[in-house]
Amino acid sequence: MKILSAEKIREADAYTIKHEPIKSIDLMERAAGLCFDWLYAAAPKLFPDSISEEKDWVFYIVCGTGNNGGDGLVLARLLQRNGYNTEVAVVHVSDKPSKDFTASLDKLGKGKKSVIEIKKTADIPDFPDNAIIIDAIFGTGLNRPSEGIGREVIEKINQSKSTKVSIDMPSGLFDCDNAKNDPKGIVRSNHILTFQLPKLSFFLSENEAMVGAVHILDIGLHPDFLKNIDATFHYLTGSEAAEMRKVRGTYSHKGTYGHALIIAGAEGKWGAAVLASKACLRSGAGLVTTHIGTQGADILHNAMPELMIQHDKAGTHFSNLPDLSDYDAIGVGPGIGKSDDTVRALKLLIQEAKVPLVLDADALNILADNLTWMAFLPKGSILTPHPGEFSRLAGSKLSHFESIEKQREISQKNGIYILLKGANSSLSFPDGRVLINSTGNPGMASGGMGDTLTGIITGLLAAQYKPLEAAALAMFVHGRAGDLALKNQSVESLVASDLIDNLGKAFESLSHD
Ligand SMILES: NC(=O)C1=CN([C@@H]2O[C@H](COP(=O)(O)OP(=O)(O)OC[C@H]3O[C@@H](n4cnc5c(N)ncnc54)[C@H](OP(=O)(O)O)[C@@H]3O)[C@@H](O)[C@H]2O)[C@H](O)CC1
Ligand SMILES: [K+]
């Protein structure tokens, strides 16, 4: 699913109005109608248990004077028509109200309920603590950080304990970069009813306090426009991940699915090799060999009889390169440490490898100490840093938005894929595009999760997936397996082995997406 800028969404809006064709006011009615449907279904769960009777529910709709405010007014009318209690406030953020806002206000006026006009501080009401506040002050038309009376109202809304439901966007939030935006001037939304496509800023960690659950409402923007418009950012949905999965031929054999090499583990960190190798075996590779210091070999054998083992010359860590000619995919890094001979062996691996590499953990830390090696990585290699590793690679600590920009830059410059891990992991391609992941949960913030991801990507690469598909499908399936594992665990108790146990179900679940 494409993620478009506010500007492009406005173009989609205009294209739809012209080519569907539909009057802009009718598109607003359609959008607000979907918001009503969502609220109607969700309201019983949104109000506190103490207010279980519908007659006691209050919807407090706070509107700006643009089309976002217009959506709010139409929604208010629909709520009133269905017998719900409403309070409607209009914040005079501009003295040039939009045409559709004015038309919607006129229609609302035909009901009898009066509207609270907010023009100055003294007009701002005390918002209740147990209502649903509908935030319709600003949407995609925000053109500068919130200021004046609009900002004052936003700050007052944020003081209320009521559930906040934002129409299209939390008011005050920009669609992409919010680095120069004061979080105090942005509604801290619990639910966002966003139209057609999500906005990039919903997925950035710096906006966590303002972005609650995101619900995408399909308002029927014109499919031709959505199909033909170029997009840098994409949100990876289940059906898109499912399309990447390959069907296995009846007459295929283990040779069809390639031979993967995992280079992982060192003294005290043999578990990293176990997790990466297990995940690799469970992700489609025909054969998996793990190259490991002799002292770790028994642990691996006992954990996985299916695995083949290649002994390193050093007993305790990765120090020499095996013959690479047997392998279709190579994953390196989990738990390998940074000994001098490990650094030398990694350099040799980067020089000698003829297949794309998957680099994780200490392999990335070594790369960060030797950034000139980046240009020598086999084209299509995949780097899987977490934010700490990425800031070492990037040379400075960056906001999430800045990290994604930097991630794109490094991918394009070096012809590699970078999978920046975290809530909403992002995968950058050599052509500048970025995929944002839609699976995963906070229980996955624990040791070993990255090792399993390395194994999954390497397994898919061995099984002849192209780097783009291997990285994207692995990112999705890894999160999905984490989500499935959570059904029998809690966010506190989830560990990487639970995720591996659910890989089978995660791959299978794709056929239902
Ligand atoms: N695109 C769609 O598919 C649909 C969108 N709908 C809804 O429309 C909004 C976008 O509406 P728009 O009128 O373009 O913009 P907004 O309502 O978000 O805001 C514009 C008004 O806000 C003023 N403004 C902007 N920034 C500030 C600020 N920092 N402080 C004060 N005032 C601000 C601006 O005033 P100017 O002074 O700049 O003129 C405007 O008055 C979209 O989000 C959807 O909710 C449709 O209804 C359905 C289809
Ligand atoms: K809004």
Side-chain angles (χ1 to χ4, degrees), residues 37-51:
D37 293 346
W38 184 90
L39 265 183
Y40 181 79
K45 284 190 237 110
L46 297 182
F47 283 101
D49 290 345
S50 54
I51 316 176

Side-chain angles (χ1 to χ4, degrees), residues 217-245:
L217 305 187
D218 182 348
I219 63 166
L221 292 185
H222 205 291
D224 290 351
F225 184 94
L226 298 178
K227 185 161 166 256
N228 295 328
I229 186 87
D230 281 338
T232 299
F233 297 100
H234 297 252
Y235 186 55
L236 180 60
T237 61
S239 57
E240 288 164 341
E243 272 176 38
M244 295 179 190
R245 189 183 181 205

Side-chain angles (χ1 to χ4, degrees), residues 147-221:
E147 59 189 16
I149 193 69
R151 169 155 180 155
E152 284 184 53
V153 172
I154 288 171
E155 289 192 17
K156 197 79 186 277
I157 287 176
N158 284 341
Q159 286 165 15
S160 157
K161 294 193 180 72
S162 288
T163 298
K164 288 130 206 142
V165 177
S166 293
I167 297 188
D168 207 15
M169 303 188 62
S171 293
L173 185 74
F174 288 111
D175 57 337
C176 291
D177 189 9
N178 283 273
K180 298 201 178 72
N181 204 359
D182 181 355
K184 289 198 196 109
I186 304 171
V187 169
R188 296 165 78 96
S189 186
N190 302 103
H191 294 272
I192 304 173
L193 310 184
T194 201
F195 296 143
Q196 201 72 43
L197 304 170
K199 285 73 184 167
L200 182 64
S201 55
F202 296 172
F203 303 113
L204 304 176
S205 56
E206 51 264 29
N207 304 325
E208 183 181 3
M210 287 76 80
V211 177
V214 176
H215 312 276
I216 300 169
L217 305 187
D218 182 348
I219 63 166
L221 292 185

Side-chain angles (χ1 to χ4, degrees), residues 418-441:
I418 301 179
L419 198 170
L420 177 56
K421 296 178 288 199
N424 307 314
S425 294
S426 52
L427 172 67
S428 54
F429 301 170
D431 67 7
R433 282 178 296 160
V434 176
L435 269 188
I436 308 281
N437 194 29
S438 59
T439 55
N441 62 75

